[in-house]
Every structure is written in structure tokens, then in C-alpha cells.
Amino acid sequence: MSTFQRARRRLRAHPFALDAALAAGVLVCMVAGSLVEPHGPDGVTRALRTPDALSLVLMVLGAAALVLRRRAPLAVLAFTGGVSLVESVTGDPRAPVSMCVVVALYTVASATDRPTTWRVGLLTMTVLTGAAMIAGPLPWYAQENLGILAWTGIGATAGDAVRSRRAFVQAIRERAERAERTREEEARRRVAEERLRIARDLHDVVAHHIALVNVQAGVAAHVMDKRPDQAKEALAHVREASRSALGELRATVGLLRQSGDPEAPTEPAPGLDRLDDLAGTFRNAGLHVLVAREDQRPEHAPALPAAVDLAAYRVIQEALTNVQKHAGSEAKAEVSVVRVGPHLEVTVLDDGTGAGRQEAPAGAGGGHGLLGMRERITALRGTLTTGPRYGGGFRVHAILPVETRTSAAQDGS
């Protein structure tokens, strides 16, 4: 940083000292200007002269008032204008007291709004110039009288330009700060949504596979002594379920890795194409599951978006897991996937009568299964209906739009 920049920053930190230095500089300029005779004896050359006592007093008073120009700009302008008015009427030859008015008018224009600048500037120029022309010792067309009009106009114009530039810079700064806050809020929102999505996936994977492992492990322990072959089969299902759980956990946790990681999983997310395998895992655990599908898309109809495909799979997975855990050992489940126009309808029914049904609210001992399903469906602008069936059992019904906002935008582009 240069010496000039350091001095400038130091002066900005002490505005009163800066105004005092400005007042001293204006006083020196006014005194220096008052020592020069505008017109010499021959009417062309200039000569030195001694200003009278009243002019010196008026110059000192006008310069001293500029020290307070930031605190009371209008009052300082009125005071310096009065001082300059007295000098314009009585000074012969006239001293440049109006210089302090120019500085005060610049301060008012830079510190207030444009309408105030216009009103105050026109009033100041009119009063000072009119008084100098009418009551001054010089002819009305004298150059000194026109100089008062020109310099006051320059002061008001310069102050208004500085105020406009400050407002423009401040608007740019506020816009940049607002954009930065918006980016930070958007980043936080995306992080929160990603954490919530990963939490849902982890819940679905863990709840599904651990429930199956628990059932198969109980079967193996029950028949270990009397029917070792059936126990081995149950343990094989436990091993398969655990292997599948580890694979899905690895794929889900792998989403937390940085982009470009060569070890990041590349296996696609599960979808309805794996619905038969999903139903098979529950059948191996002893749950009677019937699957009915009529979701084949007609010709020229859009394919299921990946988000919709995954959401439908997870809803069925979570619903069947809840049936396995809560509906009782003799319960039967029916899964229906139907494509109706622009929507995909997924229905899971059961006839269980066991205790601890799915409708237990999340946070009251019932887990987060229904809450996770509702969040998935709502995020895709779909609807989810859950509740007990008449005569026993439970019903989960989800309606998902086939054309999500993202896919529609891609088709339009």
C-alpha cells in the first residue's frame, strides 16, 4: 500500500480532522485570492492588494463553519451563504468568500437526495447571484457576478454526481452480498436435502434387510436341532440378505465420496425392474406376497424417471418391511403397480392383525418408515395415503407423476 493510500485511509477514519484540514485549505485559498487585485491600473494586469478587516473576518467565519459540514450540512450552507452574501454586497474589491459556499453546497448535494439538491442549489445560486448583481458595487454583468453563478452550479452538480456514484456502488455491493447470501442458503438447502435423502436410503436399506435377517435367524434357531437342512436354508437366506444389505449400504455411503473418485460405486439405483427379486426375499422369509403389475408404458409414452422408479421401489420395500415386522406371521401382502395416464399408482395391502401396526406415528416408537415414504412422494409432487383397512389390515397407496419437473424440462430443451 502506498503512502498516499495509507494517509487517505487514516483521514477517512477521522472525518473531523479531514474537515478541519479542508477548512484550513479553503481559508488559505480565499486569503490568497483576496490578495490579488482582479484588474490592475491599466485594466488588464493584476496587482497585489490588502484585503479589508471585514473581508478577513468573513473568510475566517466561513472557513470555520466548514468544520461542521458533515454534522449539519444545511445549517453550514445557510451560514456560509449569509457570509458570502454580506461580502458580495459590501466588498469592494470583493474577496472570494463564496468559495466556502461552493464547498458547503457540494456537501449538501452529496449527503441528501436529488430534489433537495435542486431546490437548495437553485435558491443559493439565485440569492447570491441576484444580490451581487443588484446590490453589489460592480455592474450586474461583471465577470465576478457570473462566476458566483457558475461556481455554485458546479458545486451542486459535483455533489450530486458523487452521491449518485456512492448510491450505485452501494447498490452493487448490496446486490453482491444478497447474491452471496442466496448462494450460501442454496448450498445449505442442498446439503440438508442430500443428508435427508441419504438418511432415507439408509433407513430403507437397514430396516428391510435387518428385518429379513432377524426373521431368518429366528427360523434357523428354531429348527436347528430337529431340521438342520431347513436351518441351513434359513442361514443361506441370512447370508444372502446380509450380502445384499452390504452392497446397498456401500452404494449409498459411496454417494458421500467426492466426484471423480475411482472407487465410487457405479451400480444404478434399484427400481421396479428388481421388484420380483424384492418380493422373493420376503417370500423366503415366510411372507406371502402377491405381485400384480400393469405398468408397461404404451408406445411413445415417456419412460419412468429414475427418481420415480426409485421412489416406487422404496415405498414397496418399506411397506412390505412393515408388514413383515408388524402384521403377524400369517399375514398376506398384495402389491399392485399400475400405470394410469401420466401417473404411476403403487398399492400395498395386507390382511394382518398383529400389534404395533404401521400407523404408529414416527417419533412415538413407530420409527420413520411412513415419514420417509411421505417425504419421498412429496418431493416428487405425488400423493401418499396410508391407513388401516376395513375389516383388518393396512393399506399404502402412492400416486407418482411419471413426468416430473426435471424430465419435463429436459424434454422441452
Side-chain angles (χ1 to χ4, degrees):
M1 183 182 299
S2 64
T3 305
F4 174 76
Q5 290 178 340
R6 286 196 296 268
R8 186 178 180 183
R9 178 172 296 182
R10 194 175 295 112
L11 287 175
R12 285 183 175 179
H14 302 84
F16 186 80
L18 178 61
D19 292 339
L22 176 64
V26 172
L27 178 61
V28 171
C29 293
M30 288 190 297
V31 173
S34 66
L35 296 176
V36 179
E37 177 69 31
H39 301 287
D42 55 359
V44 178
T45 60
R46 300 192 176 190
L48 295 178
R49 68 182 175 91
T50 301
D52 55 16
L54 179 59
S55 296
L56 289 175
V57 172
L58 294 176
M59 286 186 288
V60 172
L61 292 176
L66 295 179
V67 178
L68 304 175
R69 68 187 186 96
R70 296 178 191 267
R71 300 183 181 181
L74 290 175
V76 170
L77 176 61
F79 181 81
T80 55
V83 170
S84 179
L85 183 61
V86 174
E87 175 63 19
S88 298
V89 175
T90 62
D92 186 19
R94 189 180 299 162
V97 181
S98 58
M99 186 179 298
C100 59
V101 180
V102 175
V103 176
L105 186 56
Y106 165 84
T107 304
V108 171
S110 63
T112 59
D113 53 4
R114 181 162 294 172
T116 303
T117 300
W118 274 95
R119 290 193 295 267
V120 174
L122 289 176
L123 179 63
T124 303
M125 288 187 292
T126 302
V127 171
L128 293 183
T129 306
M133 288 182 175
I134 297 173
L138 298 176
W140 68 270
Y141 54 84
Q143 186 177 7
E144 286 82 353
N145 295 337
L146 298 178
I148 295 176
L149 177 65
W151 282 108
T152 51
I154 290 174
T157 304
D160 184 72
V162 170
R163 180 196 55 78
S164 299
R165 182 181 180 277
R166 288 176 182 170
F168 178 72
V169 172
Q170 182 64 22
I172 292 178
R173 185 180 295 111
E174 291 178 355
R175 190 180 301 115
E177 293 176 354
R178 187 163 54 250
E180 183 66 23
R181 289 194 300 268
T182 303
R183 284 194 296 267
E184 292 177 356
E185 293 173 358
E186 179 66 16
R188 287 194 294 267
R189 185 187 64 81
R190 290 184 178 181
V191 169
E193 290 180 353
E194 185 67 12
R195 291 177 59 185
L196 184 61
R197 186 180 67 83
I198 294 175
R200 287 197 300 262
D201 287 339
L202 288 175
H203 171 271
D204 293 343
V205 172
V206 172
H208 166 61
H209 291 288
I210 295 302
L212 295 181
V213 168
N214 181 49
V215 172
Q216 296 289 356
V219 172
H222 181 70
V223 300
M224 179 67 70
D225 296 331
K226 298 181 179 180
R227 289 175 286 178
D229 294 338
Q230 188 174 354
K232 290 181 180 180
E233 182 180 356
L235 291 177
H237 291 311
V238 168
R239 181 175 57 193
E240 182 65 26
S242 62
R243 183 185 298 113
S244 178
L246 289 175
E248 291 199 36
L249 284 175
R250 180 177 180 272
T252 303
V253 176
L255 296 176
L256 299 175
R257 293 177 177 169
Q258 297 179 356
S259 60
D261 190 341
E263 296 183 0
T266 58
E267 182 180 355
L272 293 179
D273 56 338
R274 296 171 55 180
L275 180 58
D276 293 335
D277 297 336
L278 177 66
T281 59
F282 285 99
R283 294 189 185 102
N284 293 332
L287 179 65
H288 300 282
V289 180
L290 176 63
V291 177
R293 299 185 59 176
E294 292 184 4
D295 58 329
Q296 287 76 18
R297 63 190 182 102
E299 188 178 1
H300 304 302
L304 285 180
V308 174
D309 199 17
L310 175 62
Y313 179 87
R314 292 302 189 194
V315 167
I316 296 172
Q317 183 185 52
E318 179 62 26
L320 292 179
T321 301
N322 288 339
V323 174
Q324 180 73 47
K325 291 192 298 184
H326 305 302
S329 58
E330 301 299 326
K332 297 180 181 180
E334 298 179 3
V335 178
S336 171
V337 181
V338 181
R339 185 161 180 168
V340 181
H343 297 92
L344 181 72
E345 296 190 12
V346 176
T347 307
V348 180
L349 307 174
D350 71 83
D351 58 356
T353 57
R357 295 297 305 156
Q358 301 181 45
E359 62 266 29
H368 300 276
L370 294 180
L371 177 61
M373 284 192 289
R374 192 171 303 279
E375 288 174 349
R376 286 184 182 276
I377 302 302
T378 304
L380 297 175
R381 305 178 66 84
T383 58
L384 177 71
T385 305
T386 60
R389 299 173 62 192
Y390 180 77
F394 201 81
R395 176 178 181 268
V396 175
H397 181 67
I399 301 177
L400 289 164
V402 174
E403 294 186 5
T404 61
R405 182 180 301 178
T406 302
S407 62
Q410 292 176 351
D411 294 340
S413 62

